[in-house]
């Protein structure tokens, strides 16, 4: 079948200063590669486009290609099925708007939503009559099975991980278990992406040591239970890592195909399996791969040790991000950060000693957090010796545990806003 996968534009409203990053939609690239492996013809449309594809009005700013261009590309490809990525609840209006745009022109085209937002709120998303189905969680196997059923005009009632419409009823099938071996997945279908756009963006980035740079993932999931986190919406609490040799194969591919000189590992929990991380470093060193790498999403400092930091440095790592989140013991207990800060301080000190840059991230605005608690975070940032400290305001996402606290205390109710 002909399948088009769409990453929608992103719209911000009012005085919101947010600027979405120009990055590869690796989730769609993984899905696209898997579907190609199953024999389907796949096209990926990154509707967010480049920095030049921005429309500003007095009330909103839209980051992405125009509606007319989206329609043209859909019609030029002529898909049998349309998959829409809906990753972010805060921007979930854009996928619905794009779906209406396409459905108004092509009402019989099946539209399937996937991503973290519909995985957590499938019934809410299905209130939009333009959405025909939702693939929940890890999508490769579910989407491939769905295409087979659609092609053969068979019932959808036995596809695990699928929510679909049957007349006026919305049917939720049982969830699908996580893939047993992610090493069986093909490399992301970057040949379906406008890689020149992402390479150009990396060349203008001031915090990159070696350009051009790219992104990849070496594992899926995170078993931690931080109250602000939303990872479970797609991956549950499971974690699975790719074999170090497979990871280094991909690094070498990026070097040979796109001249990448630096990679960002976008894992949610890169260091969950310390022997695997050490083996990854060893494999880079053994093959004499000349690469620089970073951990922008963070790495669990409490799983690291000084010997491993030495090995990471030797393999090309030059910048580590540590999710400290709070410098106050009471707040850390609330957010379920159980490891004493002294361990993070020790890792920062050794990183400084061997020449690894460190970034510590903090979150302000937890329920019951006092001003003095926030000042503790600032003091820790100053005293810890970290190179950079980044402070975020808490976004109590509806899929996070902390949202229920806000709702219980009568501080926040996003339900009406999320209704498509």
């Amino acid at each position: 079948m002909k399948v088009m996968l769409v990453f929608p534009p992103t719209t911000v409203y009012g005085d919101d200063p947010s600027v979405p990053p120009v990055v590869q939609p690796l989730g769609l690239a993984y899905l696209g590669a898997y579907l190609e492996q199953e024999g389907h013809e796949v096209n990926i449309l990154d509707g967010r486009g480049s920095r030049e594809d921005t429309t500003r009005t007095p009330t909103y700013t839209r980051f992405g290609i125009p509606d007319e261009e989206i329609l043209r590309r859909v019609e030029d490809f002529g898909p049998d099925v349309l998959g829409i990525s809906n990753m972010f609840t805060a921007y979930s209006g854009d996928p619905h708007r794009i779906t209406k745009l396409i459905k108004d022109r092509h009402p019989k085209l099946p539209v399937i939503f996937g991503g973290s937002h519909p995985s957590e709120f499938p019934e809410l998303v299905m209130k939009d009559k333009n959405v025909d189905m939702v693939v929940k969680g890890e999508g490769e196997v579910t989407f491939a099975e769905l295409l087979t059923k659609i092609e053969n005009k068979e019932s959808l009632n036995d596809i695990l991980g699928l929510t679909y419409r049957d007349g006026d009823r919305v049917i939720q099938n049982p969830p699908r278990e996580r893939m047993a071996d992610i090493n069986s997945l093909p490399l992301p279908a970057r040949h379906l992406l406008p890689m020149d756009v992402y390479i150009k963006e990396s060349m203008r980035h001031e915090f990159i040591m070696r350009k051009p740079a790219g992104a990849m993932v070496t594992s899926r999931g995170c078993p931690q239970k931080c109250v602000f986190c939303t990872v479970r919406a797609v991956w549950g609490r499971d974690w699975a890592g790719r074999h170090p040799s497979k990871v280094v194969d991909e690094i070498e591919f990026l070097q040979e195909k796109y001249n990448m000189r630096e990679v960002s590992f976008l894992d949610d929990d890169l260091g969950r399996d310390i022997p695997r991380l050490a083996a990854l470093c060893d494999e880079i060193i053994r093959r004499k791969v000349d690469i620089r790498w970073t951990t922008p999403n963070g790495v669990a400092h409490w799983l690291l040790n000084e010997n491993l930091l030495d090995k990471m440095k030797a393999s090309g790592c030059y910048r580590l991000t540590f999710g400290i989140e709070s410098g106050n013991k009471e707040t850390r207990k609330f957010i379920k950060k159980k490891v004493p800060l002294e361990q993070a301080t020790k890792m920062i000190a050794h990183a400084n000693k061997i020449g690894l840059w460190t970034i510590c991230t903090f979150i302000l605005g937890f329920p019951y957090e006092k001003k003095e608690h926030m000042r503790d975070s600032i003091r820790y940032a100053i005293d810890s010796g970290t190179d950079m400290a980044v402070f975020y305001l808490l976004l109590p996402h509806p899929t996070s545990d902390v949202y229920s606290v806000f709702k219980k205390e009568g501080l926040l109710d996003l339900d009406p806003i999320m209704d498509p």
Side-chain angles (χ1 to χ4, degrees):
M1 298 188 78
K2 296 182 72 174
V3 183
M4 176 169 260
L5 305 174
V6 180
F7 196 98
T10 298
T11 306
V12 299
Y13 296 89
D15 297 327
D16 186 345
S18 303
V19 178
V22 178
V23 294
Q24 305 165 50
L26 285 175
L28 291 186
Y30 265 110
L31 177 58
Y34 190 86
L35 296 181
E36 282 190 329
Q37 183 176 267
E38 294 294 304
H40 301 284
E41 182 181 352
V42 183
N43 182 287
I44 297 179
L45 169 57
D46 185 356
R48 191 166 43 189
S50 68
R51 288 278 178 243
E52 287 71 35
D53 297 311
T54 302
T55 303
R56 301 183 188 278
T57 76
T59 56
Y60 68 86
T61 301
R62 170 176 162 146
F63 298 90
I65 62 179
D67 287 351
E68 299 77 20
E69 177 69 7
I70 291 175
L71 279 173
R72 183 189 69 77
R73 295 196 194 182
V74 171
E75 290 167 352
D76 283 351
F77 182 66
D80 300 307
V81 170
L82 193 71
I84 304 285
S85 175
N86 188 352
M87 290 301 298
F88 310 110
T89 296
Y91 305 122
S92 60
D94 289 292
H96 289 284
R97 182 177 54 77
I98 291 301
T99 299
K100 184 179 186 306
L101 172 77
I102 297 169
K103 276 282 199 174
D104 283 349
R105 188 79 64 91
H106 305 281
K108 295 185 179 180
L109 178 63
V111 172
I112 305 158
F113 268 38
S116 58
H117 178 74
S119 291
E120 191 72 11
F121 306 108
E123 289 184 308
L124 183 67
V125 167
M126 292 290 288
K127 288 175 71 174
D128 181 354
K129 300 297 185 183
N130 291 310
V131 180
D132 298 300
M133 287 157 275
V134 164
V135 169
K136 298 181 290 184
E138 193 173 43
E140 287 90 354
V141 177
T142 303
F143 206 113
E145 287 186 7
L146 175 58
L147 292 181
T148 300
K149 296 287 189 180
I150 292 175
E151 193 169 21
N152 296 332
K153 297 181 172 59
E154 296 175 348
S155 171
L156 308 180
N157 62 3
D158 61 347
I159 302 178
L160 299 177
L162 183 72
T163 299
Y164 66 100
R165 202 181 307 281
D166 182 10
D168 293 331
R169 296 191 306 152
V170 171
I171 308 297
Q172 287 207 59
N173 292 344
R176 180 180 297 275
E177 291 187 2
R178 288 281 305 282
M179 191 176 294
D181 181 18
I182 64 172
N183 289 300
S184 64
L185 287 170
L187 292 182
R190 292 182 174 89
H191 59 280
L192 301 178
L193 297 175
M195 290 298 295
D196 57 318
V197 171
Y198 314 122
I199 291 170
K200 180 181 177 182
E201 180 65 17
S202 78
M203 299 301 288
R204 69 207 303 179
H205 201 299
E206 59 185 306
F207 293 114
I208 289 177
M209 178 181 283
R210 287 187 176 180
K211 303 172 184 179
M216 57 184 288
V217 292
T218 82
S219 64
R220 289 180 168 184
C222 178
Q224 296 300 310
K225 298 180 180 179
C226 300
V227 296
F228 52 83
C229 189
T230 63
V231 168
R232 68 178 184 190
V234 173
W235 308 122
R237 293 298 186 195
D238 296 330
W239 180 92
R242 296 167 58 202
H243 192 277
S245 64
K246 294 276 190 181
V247 175
V248 181
D249 286 346
E250 184 171 355
I251 293 173
E252 291 186 325
F253 169 79
L254 291 175
Q255 288 185 320
E256 294 167 7
K257 180 72 174 178
Y258 302 110
N259 192 34
M260 296 296 184
R261 303 176 67 228
E262 177 175 325
V263 294
S264 298
F265 293 145
L266 301 183
D267 302 41
D268 294 305
D269 198 355
L270 175 68
R272 173 52 41 190
D273 183 340
I274 289 303
R276 186 197 77 111
L277 179 54
L280 171 57
C281 296
D282 287 337
E283 186 71 3
I284 293 173
I285 295 168
R286 185 187 69 80
R287 295 196 202 180
K288 299 180 180 179
V289 179
D290 185 14
I291 195 71
R292 292 291 178 268
W293 59 273
T294 65
T295 63
N297 284 2
V299 60
H301 58 79
W302 57 91
L303 298 174
L304 303 179
N305 56 68
E306 294 176 347
N307 290 335
L308 182 57
L309 287 184
D310 292 340
K311 188 170 287 191
M312 293 166 73
K313 171 78 183 297
S315 68
C317 180
Y318 74 90
R319 188 179 77 227
L320 292 172
T321 301
F322 293 150
I324 305 298
E325 318 313 357
S326 176
N328 176 267
K329 289 183 179 180
E330 289 183 43
T331 301
R332 288 177 65 80
K333 183 178 179 181
F334 172 80
I335 64 179
K336 299 180 182 177
K337 289 283 185 182
K338 299 179 181 179
V339 179
L341 278 171
E342 289 76 13
Q343 197 278 344
T345 307
K346 182 180 178 182
M347 290 300 98
I348 293 169
H350 189 70
N352 288 340
K353 178 181 177 181
I354 65 176
L356 280 174
W357 303 355
T358 59
I359 301 173
C360 288
T361 59
F362 300 86
I363 301 174
L364 303 177
F366 288 105
Y368 321 121
E369 187 177 31
K370 299 176 182 179
K371 186 184 294 185
E372 191 57 33
H373 296 170
M374 299 183 192
R375 287 188 174 132
D376 285 343
S377 294
I378 297 170
R379 289 190 192 99
Y380 182 81
I382 295 169
D383 296 339
S384 66
T386 188
D387 295 298
M388 287 171 271
V390 182
F391 291 84
Y392 297 99
L393 292 177
L394 173 68
L395 173 62
H397 192 282
T399 61
S400 68
D401 293 339
V402 76
Y403 175 71
S404 62
V405 179
F406 276 87
K407 203 167 180 180
K408 181 187 73 173
E409 298 288 0
L411 298 170
L412 194 63
D413 183 0
L414 298 178
D415 294 0
I417 299 173
M418 288 166 34
D419 192 326

